[in-house]
Amino acid sequence: MIHSLYFYQHYWWFIISLLASLLVFLLFVQGGQTMISRLGKTPLEKSMIINSLGRKWEFTFTTLVVFGGGFFASFPLFYSTSFGGAYWLWMIILFSFIIQAVSYEFRSRKGNLLGTRTYDVFLYTNGIVGVVLLGIAVATMFTGADFSVSRDNILNRSMPVISTWGNPFHGLESLVSPMNLAFGFAIFFLSRVQAALYFMNNIDYAEIFSRAKRQVFINAIPFLILFITFMIALFLKDGYAITEPTGAIMIVPNKYFINMIEMPLNLLLFLVGVVLVLFAILRAVFSKHYTSGIWFCGIGTVFVALSLLFLAGYNNTPYYPSVSDIQSSLTIYNSSSSLFTLKVMSIVSLIIPIVVAYIYYTWRSMDKNPITSKEMESGEAKY
């Protein structure tokens, strides 16, 4: 069983889900970029905030790249269908992350052509556009997309294209779905909650701490409203299911609610994650000086995101439904790489714990001492 294609398909959906969940946590960097002016009222305070984020932005960018690469290698049909079909949506997301990288690299360099204010606008843009559109892209794994798959086309020399998109908007049509928007903006406000919790932990400055504490409360309200709205809509909507033994796909009412009930360990994972996020928010808001909220909220976020992605891909559920051709919907079975490819990649994936340990060590080394005003005034500011 452990050497079967079935095992490796499930294993790699777990790896992809884990990478995506870590990315959702690391989006606190983007959330923080939208709060620079809100929390920093003086050049010194803004410098402290930007340098706090500057120490972590590469983690987010690297995780996004690894997530995309992992998806390409393990489930190439999704990569060609979504990245190749909804390319306007993905191109905007990638461009927003490119201008983020450029901003951190050149913002504080002497003689930069665009000026500091322009790079701050780039960071703000990435914080909104990148996060909301990523959330919308993930939401399409539940709401579906307008594509069709014809494997016979691979033999057509004049047009060997397996996946075709059903409209000229190429992903932008997902922006008009209320359910997609609810999830996208829920992720956005969650990123701001986590950013505020991160600043409370990472910056030793009373004024920033006080403002960040207030922002936890302000952003938690729309986050909870939008997230609850999305979950209710998800549990009430029809979903797709793979029928056995034919492999045909059919509509099942309340499919995602059924998945949650039929996977009790996943339900437990979801509930634990929700409790951890709520605990972090409430403790940060009502305690006088609580600084560990980012860890409880971060772990809770990873748990909840994992649970949702398990709902999307496990229990005979297509993780990328087609709204125009139900039988074209992508599953972990019909969109994966070959057994040989998945096996080889699985060997490579064994280094993931080492990478995680390195990230943990690097994070601890950078955050050994909180950022202070003296550090910025001494000229040690990098970004």
Side-chain angles (χ1 to χ4, degrees), residues 324-382:
S324 55
D325 178 14
I326 184 174
Q327 301 305 324
S328 291
S329 300
L330 302 186
T331 71
I332 62 174
Y333 310 115
N334 66 16
S335 65
S336 73
S337 293
S338 66
L339 175 60
F340 175 77
T341 301
L342 294 179
K343 275 187 174 182
V344 172
M345 288 171 49
S346 297
I347 296 174
V348 177
S349 73
L350 296 178
I351 69 172
I352 289 178
I354 299 175
V355 175
V356 172
Y358 172 75
I359 292 174
Y360 174 78
Y361 172 78
T362 305
W363 187 302
R364 286 292 299 268
S365 298
M366 289 189 294
D367 287 357
K368 190 174 183 180
N369 298 308
I371 289 179
T372 64
S373 57
K374 290 183 179 180
E375 180 182 349
M376 299 297 103
E377 291 170 343
S378 66
E380 296 183 25
K382 180 180 178 182

Side-chain angles (χ1 to χ4, degrees), residues 3-22:
H3 296 294
S4 68
L5 180 59
Y6 178 88
F7 167 81
Y8 285 105
Q9 287 165 335
H10 282 75
Y11 172 77
W12 271 101
W13 184 252
F14 169 77
I15 296 295
I16 295 300
S17 299
L18 180 60
L19 289 171
S21 301
L22 291 172

Side-chain angles (χ1 to χ4, degrees), residues 127-354:
I128 297 179
V129 174
V131 174
V132 174
L133 293 190
L134 265 178
I136 288 175
V138 172
T140 60
M141 291 185 171
F142 301 98
T143 60
D146 186 9
F147 67 91
S148 60
V149 176
S150 179
R151 297 175 185 274
D152 293 337
N153 281 354
I154 197 68
L155 301 177
N156 187 346
R157 293 185 179 182
S158 62
M159 190 178 177
V161 178
I162 295 178
S163 304
T164 56
W165 208 253
N167 64 74
F169 302 106
H170 291 285
L172 297 182
E173 73 279 359
S174 61
L175 303 183
V176 300
S177 165
M179 193 169 171
N180 290 348
L181 290 171
F183 190 75
F185 279 98
I187 297 298
F188 168 69
F189 285 109
L190 173 62
S191 72
R192 286 169 63 91
V193 169
Q194 293 194 116
L197 293 171
Y198 169 71
F199 292 138
M200 293 169 68
N201 175 268
N202 189 249
I203 300 177
D204 185 10
Y205 197 80
E207 287 79 4
I208 292 178
F209 183 93
S210 178
R211 295 173 197 143
K213 181 177 181 178
R214 186 167 182 268
Q215 288 299 314
V216 171
F217 176 74
I218 291 174
N219 289 280
I221 294 175
F223 159 65
L224 292 173
I225 293 173
L226 289 166
F227 183 72
I228 292 172
T229 300
F230 173 81
M231 292 306 303
I232 292 174
L234 181 65
F235 286 154
L236 293 179
K237 79 181 297 293
D238 294 341
Y240 295 169
I242 308 167
T243 59
E244 297 179 346
T246 64
I249 297 173
M250 61 179 292
I251 297 176
V252 176
N254 312 118
K255 171 60 175 172
Y256 296 105
F257 179 75
I258 293 173
N259 279 3
M260 188 68 87
I261 299 302
E262 291 182 347
M263 297 189 291
L265 291 179
N266 193 50
L267 173 60
L268 178 62
L269 184 69
F270 177 82
L271 293 176
V272 171
V274 168
V275 169
L276 288 174
V277 172
L278 291 176
F279 170 80
I281 292 172
L282 293 174
R283 185 74 185 275
V285 171
F286 293 106
S287 296
K288 185 176 181 180
H289 193 83
Y290 181 67
T291 62
S292 299
I294 182 60
W295 303 118
F296 287 97
C297 188
I299 294 173
T301 295
V302 171
F303 283 2
V304 171
L306 267 177
S307 175
L308 291 178
L309 289 167
F310 290 166
L311 287 183
Y314 288 155
N315 202 35
N316 289 328
T317 309
Y319 68 84
Y320 200 44
S322 170
V323 298
S324 55
D325 178 14
I326 184 174
Q327 301 305 324
S328 291
S329 300
L330 302 186
T331 71
I332 62 174
Y333 310 115
N334 66 16
S335 65
S336 73
S337 293
S338 66
L339 175 60
F340 175 77
T341 301
L342 294 179
K343 275 187 174 182
V344 172
M345 288 171 49
S346 297
I347 296 174
V348 177
S349 73
L350 296 178
I351 69 172
I352 289 178
I354 299 175

